[in-house]
Each structure stands twice: as C-alpha cells, then as structure tokens.
Amino acid sequence: MGKLGSIRPPKMLLRIYSLCILALDLVTLFVGICCTILIAVYRMFRPPPLKSLNYEVAMVVGAGRGIGKELALQLCQLGVAVACVDINAETCAATVQRAQQLHGVCRSYQCDVRSKDTVARTVNLVKNELGNITMLFHCCGLPSPRALVQESSEVRDTMDVSVISHFWLLDSVLPCMRHAGKGHITILSSVAGLSNGSSDRGTRVPLSTAQFAVQGLAESLHMELRHSNSNIIVSLVHVYPFIVGTEVAKDIRFRIPSYFGTMPAAEAARQILDGVRRNYAEFSVPGYLLYLAHVLRILPKKASFMLRDLLDTGVDFA
C-alpha cells in the first residue's frame, strides 16, 4: 500500500491538468465560434450554390391556396414530383390542373392532417404512386389573411392543424426519407400570427401559441436529426410580411408601409425555395429581417414592446 500511494500523482498536478484541458476546450470553442461567424458573414455576400431538385418527391401540405399552391407550382417547374395535399379537394385539384399545364408531375390528395390514420394512409398512397417522399413542406398552419382580421378559430382546431399535424406527418414521412437516404423538411412559421394589431389581442393567443410551438418543434427536430447523423435537413422559415390578397389588403394597415409591406405569395414561395435549395437551417422572408430579430432578442422586453408600438404592425419578433 505504501508503494501504490507513493506513485499516485499529487492532487495539484491533477488540478493543473484539468485546468489545461478546460482551457484547451475553451480556446477550441472560441476559435470554432469565430470561424462560424466569419463563414456566416461570408455567406451573406456569397451564398452557397443552389442544389438540384431533379427526381425529388415533394409533399406540399396546404397546396390548395396561398404559399402552398405557389410552392407546388414552382417545385413542378424545377423537376420535382409533387403530391399536393389539402383538406379542400377542389382547390387542391385546381393546383394540380395548373401544374399539369406547366408539364409538371403532380397529383392531388385530399387529407385532413388532424387525423393520424388519414395522414398515414395518404403518405402510403403517395409512396405507392410517386415514390419515397424526400421533401416535406408544411404550409397549412400559416394564418390566412382573414384570420388576422377576424376572430380566431377554436383553440383545439388551431393547435391540431398548426402543431399536432406535424407529428402525424413526421411519423409517416421520416421513414420514407430514411429509406431514401436523404430528406428535407421545411416548416413555415408565420410571424404575422404571433400578435394582434387590433385592440382585442386576446383573440390571437391560439395563433401566437401555435406559431411559437412550431418554432420550438423545428429546433428540437433539427437537434435530434443532427445527433443521429441523419442525412435529413430541417429548414425553419419565418414569414415576416403579411401575405395578403387584394380583397383584404385594405383591412391591414401599416404605420411604416415600406418596412412591413405586402408580398405576393408567388414571390414568397420563390424566396422560400431559394433558401431550401441552399440548405439553410433557418431563414426568413424577407431575409434581412432574421438578423434584425436576432439582435432584438438581446434587448430588454420593454424595449421590444416599444419598437413594436412604433412599427404598429402587430408583429412580434420571434
């Protein structure tokens, strides 16, 4: 016992060794963060190249109108086989008809994404007819223009459509992507639904809660797939401007129109596909507002409220 005790390193040496390891880890972390920031700044001026989408199979949920419809049409033009999914069979069929006029491969599927069994059956049908799904676009949770100027829907419906449906879709689509060896999940979150510009702000609580939940879901899914070394990419898209039609543009007012103006759904879809094809993990439409949102997060909450009151758009930075 005396000999064994004599060859043990002193406690001081162990503490010095531990401090050296900690210092090395901190230096490595600091260098890694600096490199990441420099690469991000460089990519602002020189974005990564656009990847080809030929022979991909995309499932667009909410393809009957708005951004979902435009995404489906533009994906068809890029050589993607598109499964248009919507609860409204007529509007979904109209999207498919327009896509076929553009010589795209596109099929219509009526589906209520609030039902787990219905989602599973629809995904199996898409897989049998078009192949393994390699791209998923969830657009049906975005508030419509009317939802921003009328009373919000029932709480359960809002959460089922905007949040719970993601889990049913992921349960069925992720195995397809793993079997194909690749995948891209695009989750849209509407900042326009995070707060209300009218006096009765309480009616927008379900919309706000749903949109925040979607953002948390995207970040959690990204971390899980990253740790599992999966070749599946997750893109979270913050839609900042109000995507409105001419019939409701008069109902939404802006204190600074040039800052938070309207944008056609076709242009929003183009910007979304641009970010997806560059494999961005998180971006916004328009793009510059994402960086502003990150900066505003470090400000006191009261300062954030003051800025929102100045803009008077009913939009919170999340």
Side-chain angles (χ1 to χ4, degrees):
M1 293 294 294
K3 278 189 174 183
L4 290 175
S6 62
I7 62 175
R8 288 175 182 171
K11 290 184 177 180
M12 182 62 69
L13 291 179
L14 288 175
R15 295 180 67 180
I16 293 175
Y17 174 76
S18 298
L19 289 174
C20 290
I21 295 297
L22 177 60
L24 179 61
D25 288 341
L26 290 175
V27 170
T28 303
L29 175 64
F30 178 77
V31 172
I33 291 175
C34 290
C35 291
T36 302
I37 293 174
L38 290 174
I39 292 173
V41 173
Y42 172 75
R43 286 305 186 189
M44 289 177 61
F45 301 97
R46 291 292 301 273
L50 296 171
K51 67 179 180 181
S52 173
L53 299 183
N54 283 329
Y55 309 113
E56 299 279 356
V57 177
M59 183 176 183
V60 181
V61 182
R65 61 175 179 84
I67 294 179
K69 175 182 178 180
E70 296 298 333
L71 282 172
L73 296 176
Q74 295 183 28
L75 283 167
C76 285
Q77 292 177 309
L78 293 172
V80 180
V82 180
C84 293
V85 178
D86 203 289
I87 193 172
N88 190 319
E90 293 182 6
T91 57
C92 193
T95 301
V96 171
Q97 184 178 6
R98 175 57 182 157
Q100 291 174 346
Q101 293 175 355
L102 300 173
H103 306 289
V105 179
C106 189
R107 296 197 179 183
S108 173
Y109 301 89
Q110 183 180 17
C111 175
D112 184 355
V113 293
R114 296 171 296 181
S115 170
K116 182 178 181 179
D117 294 336
T118 304
V119 169
R121 287 195 298 269
T122 303
V123 170
N124 286 331
L125 188 59
V126 173
K127 184 169 60 175
N128 292 333
E129 295 183 353
L130 298 177
N132 282 316
I133 299 169
T134 57
M135 302 184 77
L136 174 64
F137 295 83
H138 191 292
C139 309
C140 64
L142 287 176
S144 67
R146 282 295 177 191
L148 300 175
V149 295
Q150 293 180 342
E151 294 295 320
S152 69
S153 59
E154 199 267 337
V155 175
R156 184 60 183 267
D157 285 341
T158 300
M159 298 304 295
D160 283 346
V161 172
S162 301
V163 183
I164 304 301
S165 62
H166 282 279
F167 292 95
W168 307 151
L169 287 163
L170 291 173
D171 282 346
S172 299
V173 173
L174 278 176
C176 294
M177 294 182 174
R178 292 192 177 103
H179 186 267
K182 61 179 180 178
H184 201 134
I185 300 169
T186 304
I187 301 175
L188 274 62
S189 173
S190 172
V191 180
L194 291 179
S195 137
N196 176 27
S198 66
S199 59
D200 185 11
R201 293 181 181 271
T203 61
R204 300 299 174 260
V205 171
L207 288 175
S208 302
T209 304
Q211 297 306 310
F212 277 116
V214 166
Q215 295 175 36
L217 168 66
E219 293 192 18
S220 300
L221 181 62
H222 177 80
M223 293 297 295
E224 180 178 337
L225 293 175
R226 184 173 71 89
H227 288 304
S228 64
N229 295 320
S230 175
N231 194 27
I232 300 174
I233 301 168
V234 178
S235 291
L236 173 61
V237 186
H238 303 273
V239 183
Y240 276 82
F242 294 100
I243 309 300
V244 300
T246 56
E247 73 280 2
V248 292
K250 64 179 182 301
D251 294 323
I252 300 176
R253 296 175 175 81
F254 306 96
R255 185 169 184 176
I256 308 177
S258 61
Y259 185 78
F260 276 107
T262 60
M263 178 184 293
E267 174 59 21
R270 187 196 66 78
Q271 293 188 26
I272 291 170
L273 287 180
D274 184 83
V276 168
R277 295 181 66 189
R278 299 185 195 278
N279 288 336
Y280 289 152
E282 185 178 12
F283 61 97
S284 65
V285 177
Y288 67 89
L289 287 177
L290 180 64
Y291 303 103
L292 176 60
H294 288 327
V295 172
L296 289 174
R297 282 176 177 173
I298 66 176
L299 295 176
K301 196 64 177 178
K302 187 175 181 179
S304 175
F305 290 151
M306 293 169 64
L307 179 60
R308 185 173 62 183
D309 290 340
L310 171 66
L311 297 175
D312 193 25
T313 61
V315 178
D316 196 3
F317 293 92

